[in-house]
Amino acid sequence: MENNKKEQLEALKVLADFQNKMISNAEILIEELTTVKKEDTNDLLKSVTDSLNWEIGVLNGTLSLINEESEKLSKEDINSAVTILADALRTQDDKNIAEALEQELLPMLKKVRDVVAEFNN
């Protein structure tokens, strides 16, 4: 059990180090989707969604530690944000995708950043 907790703490450190880059990329993506798309905007979108999949995997493996004393992150809230983004991605409409990123995913990413930062102090 102690080994599992050590692995979870290591995973949270990696996630904390990664989170600011993920948030920055999401913000850049929102900007590009709502103004003028760049040549690499679709690549950035793929990178953000791939990174999100990785992040969900880390969160699935660490939520028990994160929420050990009290619920700091809700799996349902995370799943809701991801589902809304997935629905927007299916529309292939830049405005819908940007809206889902800005209103659902970005707040969730920032909350994750703040929560995992508590484990790295």
Side-chain angles (χ1 to χ4, degrees):
M1 185 69 157
E2 188 60 37
N3 194 31
N4 186 41
K5 187 172 185 172
K6 183 179 177 191
E7 289 173 2
Q8 288 177 316
L9 286 169
E10 288 175 19
L12 288 176
K13 178 168 179 15
V14 172
L15 182 58
D17 293 342
F18 177 78
Q19 206 59 15
N20 283 330
K21 179 74 170 162
M22 176 72 167
I23 290 168
S24 175
N25 283 344
E27 290 172 337
I28 291 167
L29 183 57
I30 292 164
E31 176 73 20
E32 290 182 11
L33 290 172
T34 56
T35 58
V36 177
K37 279 181 88 166
K38 295 184 178 177
E39 191 174 299
D40 64 347
T41 300
N42 288 336
D43 293 337
L44 182 57
L45 177 58
K46 180 168 178 8
S47 174
V48 166
T49 56
D50 289 347
S51 297
L52 180 60
N53 287 331
W54 173 83
E55 186 166 321
I56 296 300
V58 173
L59 287 171
N60 282 336
T62 58
L63 271 179
S64 62
L65 177 63
I66 290 169
N67 293 332
E68 190 171 53
E69 295 176 16
S70 65
E71 186 176 77
K72 295 177 179 134
L73 290 176
S74 162
K75 189 171 188 170
E76 291 77 23
D77 290 347
I78 294 167
N79 287 341
S80 175
V82 172
T83 299
I84 290 168
L85 177 59
D87 290 344
L89 288 168
R90 278 191 279 283
T91 70
Q92 297 184 348
D93 179 89
D94 291 348
K95 183 178 180 281
N96 287 342
I97 296 167
E99 187 174 293
L101 286 165
E102 187 168 33
Q103 295 179 4
E104 302 295 332
L105 188 67
L106 203 51
M108 188 268 297
L109 294 174
K110 289 178 178 179
K111 185 173 184 178
V112 169
R113 176 194 60 199
D114 295 344
V115 168
V116 299
E118 296 174 19
F119 289 89
N120 292 292
N121 291 331

